[in-house]
Amino acid sequence: MTHTPMTGTRAAWAALGGDPALLSRVEPVVRAEALPARLPVRELARACVGACALAAAELTAARTRRAVPRVRVDDGAVAAAFTSERRLLVDGREPVTFAPLSGFWRTGDGGWVRTHANYPHHRAALLTALGLSVGSEDAVDSVDAVAARLAERTAVDVEDAVYAAGGLAVALRTPEEWAKHPQGASVAQRPLLSRARIGEGPPRPLPALTGDPSLPASGLRVLDLTRVIAGPVATRTLALLGADVLRIDSPRLPELPDQHADTGFGKRSAALDLAARADRRTFDELLAEADVVVTGYRPGALDRFGLGPRALAERRPGIVVAGLSAWGDYGPWAGRRGFDSLVQVASGIASLEGSPERPGALPAQALDHGTGHLLAAAVLRSLTEAMAGGGTWSVRLALAQTAGWLMGASLGGALGGALGGALGGEDGNSATYDPTPWLAETDSPLGRLRYAPSPVSFAGGPDNWSRPPGRWGADTPEWR
């Protein structure tokens, strides 16, 4: 296969069920210095953003009854956005990305595990699993104690014990080991994403778009039930495109401040306890007027509240239900929590990107950002099809499936191979990437922010989000 800058976008657009004739509207701007890696990360990032921008342009055409506007995908802007959590400054302060107990650790069998303990409850679960005191806040003592305990156990034993305690730790695997693992084998049988009509309903009459053509989601209401990066990236993209996005969190699970600042652009944030009768009534009133619901909790976690895809389809015919997870909603790990960094470790990415001495990582949380843009694209495509044919739509993505797409470039997978073929992707050079031209600043209730704008660009825009992030949970839970 001959690989071009459009090869990955073509594959992503096909997975979304898009009209291949529209690919002629996409103009890539290749910058070989962006997102250097052994795997074709730059190509994956460009493909996900390109497909998202094209889906937005397609919805614009449907609402204006004009030709699909041209889409521009600049690798420089894409790379800045895919590292947005690292580019953020709050009043000049650099963000906190990983906590001291989140990272790679040597185990007693000579293997490695990676832990994720950014949230207090995950940190407590890790320490409990290792038989350590949860109350200690001394980072140095905790790091040393964790390292000592992990050096006494095997990597898989740590993985199982920490998961059983409600924490997050994943053993390092090679691509071949992941392919033989029951969850890896289940992932390999799945497509990049799934998008299906799961219920009936008349065509959705969206009003003609008479204002800014780069805001095709204007007038739509999105309930955002997501956390961390992938889901919030999807919903901040929908907010960029004009949707009224209201994020709802439990008051018992506050978001990390820097994480919220990075992914809260364009949205409002409210806290509701779905187990409390009054808050549940408020939520149901919001749901009754929502056009899209996006969930990012592990599969089954919201079922007790009647928020599974089928239940939502019955309660709100004509809605688009979009969900994502770390490992997929199938296989033995379907109920497990996970994050981008952990999926990289399990799937063999960390093995390929590392060295014999130490595992490595991608130059960005590319699984998160890529999946987030694909999720937004799938929502937009579903809205476009609902305008013509109606129906209730379900969209499902998983970080592990995006990882499989990326890994397919090295393992010979048909869809993954479309990203760039052999390890290393397109031919690169030794130039150093400078994100400065693609960064911006704004005032906000959180302080002066330096941030990476969205890389989604078509029809001369969108220029920026309509509002900067506010304080977590501070907004009234109501539609604008």
Side-chain angles (χ1 to χ4, degrees):
M1 177 184 293
T2 300
H3 297 282
T4 72
M6 282 294 296
T7 302
T9 305
R10 187 174 297 110
W13 189 242
L16 290 162
D19 180 357
L22 296 183
L23 290 164
S24 64
R25 309 302 294 167
V26 181
E27 175 191 350
V29 180
V30 177
R31 301 183 190 275
E33 69 275 14
L35 299 176
R38 293 176 179 170
L39 288 164
V41 179
R42 181 175 63 255
E43 294 85 336
L44 176 139
R46 183 194 306 136
C48 295
V49 171
C52 182
L54 186 55
E58 180 188 38
L59 183 56
T60 287
R63 295 190 67 179
T64 59
R65 297 186 179 181
R66 298 177 181 174
V68 175
R70 296 200 66 80
V71 168
R72 189 170 189 267
V73 187
D74 190 316
D75 284 354
V78 171
F82 268 55
T83 53
S84 63
E85 66 276 5
R86 301 207 303 261
R87 306 302 177 190
L88 179 74
L89 294 179
V90 182
D91 286 333
R93 176 185 60 79
E94 293 187 355
V96 176
T97 52
F98 286 100
L101 298 188
S102 296
F104 286 109
W105 309 82
R106 269 288 192 187
T107 52
D109 58 348
W112 292 88
V113 295
R114 182 154 189 171
T115 57
H116 197 291
N118 288 2
Y119 288 98
H121 58 294
H122 291 157
R123 177 184 182 275
L126 172 65
L127 294 175
T128 297
L130 298 178
L132 297 171
S133 172
V134 175
S136 174
E137 295 298 329
D138 190 308
V140 174
D141 288 348
S142 295
V143 168
D144 291 343
V146 167
R149 291 296 174 90
L150 292 177
E152 300 170 351
R153 307 172 75 161
T154 69
V156 173
D157 174 51
V158 171
E159 178 181 87
D160 292 340
V162 174
Y163 166 69
L168 293 143
V170 172
L172 177 73
R173 291 175 173 85
T174 65
E176 294 76 18
E177 290 170 336
W178 180 240
K180 296 176 182 177
H181 188 278
Q183 188 62 33
S186 295
V187 171
Q189 297 172 10
R190 305 285 170 150
L192 173 59
L193 58 91
S194 63
R195 195 176 63 84
R197 179 170 171 156
I198 60 171
E200 297 305 315
R204 175 189 293 270
L206 294 180
L209 189 63
T210 58
D212 188 341
S214 67
L215 300 178
S218 60
L220 295 168
R221 291 170 167 171
V222 178
L223 269 180
D224 178 3
L225 308 179
T226 69
R227 296 175 67 80
V228 197
I229 297 179
V233 163
T235 51
R236 80 177 179 189
T237 302
L238 296 174
L240 175 83
L241 299 171
D244 181 9
V245 178
L246 179 60
R247 174 168 165 168
I248 303 294
D249 285 286
S250 167
R252 297 188 298 273
L253 291 174
E255 183 59 281
L256 300 173
D258 290 342
Q259 192 73 65
H260 175 69
D262 174 50
T263 60
F265 282 88
K267 313 178 198 177
R268 290 174 299 121
S269 169
L272 290 174
D273 183 354
L274 297 186
R277 183 174 300 176
D279 281 5
R280 180 55 191 266
R281 185 164 51 248
T282 299
F283 180 85
D284 287 342
E285 291 170 355
L286 294 169
L287 177 61
E289 298 184 39
D291 300 290
V292 179
V293 176
V294 185
T295 66
Y297 292 83
R298 61 191 172 87
L302 298 176
D303 287 359
R304 63 192 176 102
F305 300 113
L307 299 178
R310 294 290 177 181
L312 285 170
E314 293 177 1
R315 296 175 60 190
R316 184 79 168 113
I319 202 170
V320 176
V321 183
L324 65 90
S325 60
W327 308 105
D329 54 2
Y330 48 81
W333 283 14
R336 293 199 179 196
R337 300 173 179 87
F339 295 98
D340 180 312
S341 58
L342 303 182
V343 175
Q344 289 189 41
V345 171
S347 65
I349 291 174
S351 175
L352 286 175
E353 292 291 339
S355 67
E357 291 74 33
R358 185 176 178 83
L362 299 177
Q365 301 276 69
L367 306 181
D368 267 330
H369 287 272
T371 305
H373 282 90
L374 287 174
L375 183 62
V379 168
L380 295 166
R381 288 241 57 249
S382 298
L383 290 168
T384 298
E385 294 197 8
M387 284 186 66
T392 302
W393 291 82
S394 172
V395 171
R396 303 296 297 175
L397 291 91
L399 301 184
Q401 289 168 203
T402 306
W405 191 35
L406 178 63
M407 291 292 291
S410 64
L411 299 179
L415 184 58
L419 282 173
L423 289 174
E426 298 161 359
D427 291 336
N429 61 29
S430 59
T432 301
Y433 171 72
D434 178 9
T436 305
W438 294 283
L439 300 179
E441 293 192 6
T442 188
D443 291 318
S444 80
L446 307 176
R448 183 72 176 173
L449 302 181
R450 187 196 74 177
Y451 66 100
S454 172
V456 174
S457 178
F458 66 99
D463 292 331
N464 212 328
W465 286 281
S466 61
R467 55 181 287 160
R471 299 194 181 281
W472 177 86
D475 292 299
T476 303
E478 62 185 19
W479 296 116
R480 285 200 301 243

